[in-house]
Amino acid sequence: MQKYIIRRIVQAIPILFGITLLTFMIMQLAPGNPMVTMIDPSISMEDLARAEQSLGLDRPLIVQYWQWLKQILSGNLGYTIRTGQPVSALIGARLPATLLLTSTALVISFILGVPLGVFSASHKYSIPDYGLTLGAFVGISIPGFFLGLGLIYIFALKLGWFPTSGLMGIGMNYEGWPYFIDRVRHLFLPALALALPNMAAVMRFTRSSMIEVLTHDYIRTSRAKGLSAKVVLFKHALRNSLIPVITIFGLSIPFLFGGAYITEQVFNWPGMGSLGIAAITGREYPIVMGLNLFTSTLVLMGNLIADILYAFVDPRIRYS
Amino acid sequence: MSQINSTEITKSPRGSVGIERSFSKRAWNRFKKNKLALFGLGVILLLIILALCAPIISPYNPFITVRNEFGLANTSQPPSSNHLLGTDNLGRDVLSRMIFAGRISLSVGLVSVSIACSIGVVLGALAGYFGKWVDSLIMRVTDVVICFPVLFLVITVSTMLKPNIFNVMAIIGLVYWTRVARMVRGEILRVRELDFIQASRALGASDFRIIGRHVIPNIMAPLLVQATLLTAQAILIEASLSFLGVGVQQPTPSWGNMLNAATSITVLGFRPWIWIPPGLAILITVLSINFIGDGLRDALDPKLEE
C-alpha cells in the first residue's frame, strides 16, 4: 500500500513538470513584448536591449524556462504588468472565496447526487426514475451561465428570497448568527448553480454503477436468504457501487474549478474565477498563467487523491 | 429430416434476427426504439435545416437595427406580431439573430470536434499500436493536457489569439483531442490482439495498412459515440466563451454572446425575451445531442444485442 502511494506520487512529478512546461509555452504565445508594456514607450533601442539583458529576456528560451521554473518552485508566480503586485499574493487573497464556493458545491452534489442515484437505480424504469434521468440530462446539458442567470431571475429578482450577487451584504455590520445567515444566503445560489450540473453527473454515475452491482450473484444470494430490501440495498450493494463513484470525485475537481470561472462572473463572487476574467479583459498574462498553473496542479493533486482512495477501498487494485 | 436441417441453418445462431441484416441496420433498429434519441435527432435535423436556410427564413436582417416609421431605432421591444421574440438593445430582431446564431453553434461543434478527432485518432492509434516509448510519450502529454480544466485552458489561449470563430474552433479542437486519444488507445490495445489482425500481419500487411484498414473501422462505434458527446461539450464551451466576450464577437450573433446582454440587471430582470430564448436554444441543442449520443451508445454496443 505504502509502496503504491509512493509510486503514484513519483509518477505525478513528471506530469507536474509537463504542466509548468505547457504553461511556459502558452505564455510565449502572448502577443507583444512584455518589456514594451512595462516601461516608458519613448525608451531608446539600446536601453531596451540593456533592460532585456538585465532581466534575462535575451537568453535562449530553455534558459528562460529554467529561470522561471526556479522562481515558481520558490513560490514566486511573478508580478502583475500594471501594478507590479505579486501574483501569488493576489491568488492567495481570492483563494478562500473560491474554495468556499467549490467545496460547498462538491458537498451538495455528492450529498444529493448519490442518494438520488441509488433511488433511481432501485426503482429502475419507474416514472420517478425516468423523471430523474431526464433531469440529469438537462443538468449536464444546461450552460452554467444560463442556469446561474435563471436562478438569479427567479429566486433573487422575482421571488426576492436571495441576494443577486456578492460574497456578503455590503455596509452591514452583522455579527454572530445574522452574519452566518447573511453569508449562507449569498452562498446559496452560486453554489447551487455550480453544483447542479455536477450533481447530475454524480447521479447518473451512481445509478449505472448501482444497477451493475445489483446484477451480481451475491446480491441475489442475500435476497434469497431473506434479507430485507433495505439491508441489501444500503448494506451490501451501496458499498460496492460507491467505488467507481470515486472516479467522478476526481473528475469533479477540474469541472468545479472550470465552472467557477463562469459562476463567479455571473454572481459577482470575488474569487479566483472573477480574478481570472478581470485579468483576461485587462490582458494581465502573469495572473492568467499563475491561475492556470495553480488550478492544474490542484487538479493533479485531486486525481492523485482519487487514485489513492480507490486503492484504499478496492482491494482488487494491485499495488505492484 | 433435411428440411429441419435447412431451417436451422437459415435461423442462424442469432435466432430470428438473421445474419443477412447488417450491423448498422440492426443498430438503427435499436436506435429507433429510443424515443429520446429520436427526438434529439429530429431537433438537430430541424436546426440544420434552419441554419442552412437562415437567410430565407429569418424575418429580418440580424445585423441591422430595425427602425419605426419615425426613423427611430426600435430598441428593446417586447415580443409582438412584428417581432415574435422582440428586439434587442440595439433594435435588432431577436428571432433572426437566434436563427443565424444556430449556424455558429452547429459549425463550431462540428469543426472543433473534427479537429479533436483527427488529432486524437492519429495520436491514440500511434500510442496504442506501437506501444513502448511512443506510447509513454503521447500518454504523458495527454496526462498533462488533461490536468488543465478545459474552460480555463480555452479561455487562456483565446485571449492570446484574435477572438474569432475560426480560432475558437481551433482552440476547442486542440484541447479536446486528449479524450479521443485515450479512448482510441484503449480500443486499439483491445483490437490489436484479435486474431484477424494477427492474420493480416502474418500475411505481410504494413503497420499503416493494418491501422487504417482493419483497426480504425473496428473502433468507429465508440469513436462515433465519443464524437457526439464531445460535440455537445464543444457547443457549451463556445457558448461560455462568447458569453464571457472572448469567443465569437459582436455583431456576429452567437447564442452565447446574445446572453451576454443579461449581465445587465435591467435586461435580466425586465427584458427576458432578450436572454431566455438563446439560453433555451443552447439547452435544447446540447440536450438533443446528448440524447443522440446516449442512444448511439446503446445502439452500437454489441454486448446489448439480443
Side-chain angles (χ1 to χ4, degrees), chain B residues 113 223-233 289-290 292-293 296:
Chain B
V113 171
L223 185 62
L224 193 62
V225 174
Q226 178 93 0
T228 312
L229 297 175
L230 278 186
T231 309
Q233 294 297 313
I289 297 175
N290 277 329
I292 298 176
L296 278 177

Side-chain angles (χ1 to χ4, degrees), chain A residues 154-189:
Chain A
I154 298 170
F155 293 105
L157 293 179
K158 294 287 154 190
L159 297 173
W161 292 353
F162 297 99
T164 54
S165 63
L167 190 62
M168 57 182 99
I170 295 165
M172 312 281 186
N173 282 320
Y174 292 127
E175 266 174 41
W177 186 244
Y179 171 78
F180 178 75
I181 293 291
D182 180 57
R183 293 296 299 263
V184 171
R185 287 183 66 229
H186 279 86
L187 178 62
F188 188 79
L189 287 183

Side-chain angles (χ1 to χ4, degrees), chain A residues 57-91:
Chain A
L57 290 172
D58 59 336
R59 281 186 258 177
L61 276 185
I62 186 85
V63 180
Q64 283 190 42
Y65 169 66
W66 181 241
Q67 298 291 338
W68 177 76
L69 190 65
K70 276 200 293 197
Q71 265 193 7
I72 299 293
L73 289 177
S74 63
N76 180 358
L77 290 173
Y79 301 93
T80 62
I81 297 171
R82 287 204 186 77
T83 53
Q85 290 168 283
V87 170
S88 45
L90 276 175
I91 294 180

Side-chain angles (χ1 to χ4, degrees), chain A residues 243-263:
Chain A
I243 295 173
V245 173
I246 292 174
T247 312
I248 204 91
F249 170 78
L251 293 175
S252 294
I253 292 169
F255 184 84
L256 292 176
F257 275 90
Y261 251 60
I262 298 283
T263 312

Side-chain angles (χ1 to χ4, degrees), chain B residues 58-64 66 74-79 82-102 253-255 258-259 261 267 271-279 281:
Chain B
S58 15
Y60 294 89
N61 182 324
F63 301 103
I64 290 179
V66 180
N74 263 336
T75 55
S76 306
Q77 295 292 311
N82 277 339
H83 300 278
L84 288 178
L85 292 176
T87 60
D88 70 5
N89 300 347
L90 297 174
R92 298 170 298 193
D93 183 56
V94 172
L95 179 63
S96 307
R97 287 181 70 74
M98 291 260 299
I99 296 172
F100 272 85
S254 127
W255 289 332
M258 289 173 79
L259 265 147
V267 174
R271 294 168 196 159
W273 64 86
I274 293 179
W275 63 273
I276 292 183

